Amino acid sequence: MARVGLLLVNLGTPDSTGVADVRRYLREFLSDPRVLDMPATQRALVMNLFILPFRPRRSAAAYEKIWTDRGSPLLFHTKDLASNVRERLGAAVQVEIAMRYQSPSIASALGRFRQSGVDRIVALPLFPQYSSAAWGSAAERVFEQAGALWNVPYLQVVPPFYDHPAFLDAFAAVAEPGMKDLNPDFTLMSFHGLPERHMHKSDESGGDHCLQSETCCESICAANRSCYRAQCYATARGLAERLGLEPDDYEVTFQSRLGRDPWIRPYTDVRTVELAQAGVRRLAVLSPAFVADCLETIEEIGIRAKEDFEGNGGERLELIRSLNSHPQWADAVVEIASSGTILGEVTS
């Protein structure tokens, strides 16, 4: 049987904490029309006049706080995950990693597959919930790069796994020790934010459902089946059930907003301060939009949100670590990537 390739795709990271490298990363990221979804001329103006002159230096300082001897946490956790997945799949499957932005590139991973004689590939974007800005962009880029080859490989892309039992079981198992140690008064499930217009664009009803009521995300239906916010709430419900959290024990929030346009609410940074001021003493924060700890978890939550919470009367905010390369997550990746794909022929 011919070898199969498994491509694990994450978002990306600068090559270093240097301002020039951070600017290069941000330029590529913000040039993506799925990220800054506006006409090209307007996107260029926003990027070059309002973001790139200021943000690279601030972001570089933030990256310096989380950088390790192994470099970027996002990159080395993804490498470690791939190593664990290789051990489970054996020689019949070649496992490669790629970043949507910067290195290692999707094109280079496809080249390694081609050199090894792999022309049947399963791509797994490592984003549990669908968003056009992350999952959509990664899938588009994989298809684009594969389609540009003269010998186009057979390619399958694994759909978002926001409610897959293996993902939810693994995240709950990794989170449970930290939750038990903290014994929190309250828990936030903080997901990466997006502009509200992205929800409207994903609304299959033509605008009659998403963000039109307080209950629009209570269940997945035909109208919101591709709505990022609805999928975040579905993930949160699945994790709450596994962690024994009642509805009054936790709240879904959204972080990392950028610019002046309205983003999906409630905002993590606002709620963190409000909860401290309301008397919450021990706050746990899970980040189930991220399968690897990175700038948005370690620095934004583990450092800045912690300072805000504890500076406003809270005693302890604990960032509950992400899946990273945990053995149960590696098992889950194999299960998720094998479900309904050619990889299942190898693993069954």
Side-chain angles (χ1 to χ4, degrees), residues 186 188 251-253 257 265-281 283 305 307-314 317:
F186 198 72
L188 290 183
E251 182 180 341
V252 172
T253 58
R257 66 188 186 277
R265 300 168 187 266
Y267 299 142
T268 300
D269 57 347
V270 173
R271 290 297 295 140
T272 299
V273 171
E274 290 176 346
L275 288 168
Q277 294 174 344
V280 172
R281 291 293 171 261
L283 180 65
E307 291 174 352
D308 289 344
F309 180 76
E310 295 176 359
N312 281 274
L317 181 150

Side-chain angles (χ1 to χ4, degrees), residues 229-282:
R229 188 173 185 269
Q231 292 186 8
C232 290
Y233 274 92
T235 296
R237 289 191 294 270
L239 288 177
E241 179 182 355
R242 286 163 172 78
L243 292 170
L245 298 175
E246 298 296 331
D248 291 341
D249 295 334
Y250 76 97
E251 182 180 341
V252 172
T253 58
F254 300 92
Q255 63 183 86
S256 310
R257 66 188 186 277
L258 173 67
R260 297 179 180 179
D261 288 347
W263 282 45
I264 48 179
R265 300 168 187 266
Y267 299 142
T268 300
D269 57 347
V270 173
R271 290 297 295 140
T272 299
V273 171
E274 290 176 346
L275 288 168
Q277 294 174 344
V280 172
R281 291 293 171 261
R282 297 183 306 280

Side-chain angles (χ1 to χ4, degrees), residues 4 11 13 34 50 71 81 86-87 115 118 122 157 195 239 248 254 262 294 308 315 323 325 335 340 342:
V4 173
L11 190 71
T13 180
R34 289 182 179 269
F50 300 106
L81 172 65
R86 285 189 194 100
E87 292 179 1
Q115 291 169 3
V118 171
V122 174
V157 179
L239 288 177
D248 291 341
F254 300 92
C294 54
D308 289 344
E315 291 178 1
L323 292 160
S325 58
E335 182 176 344
I342 53 174

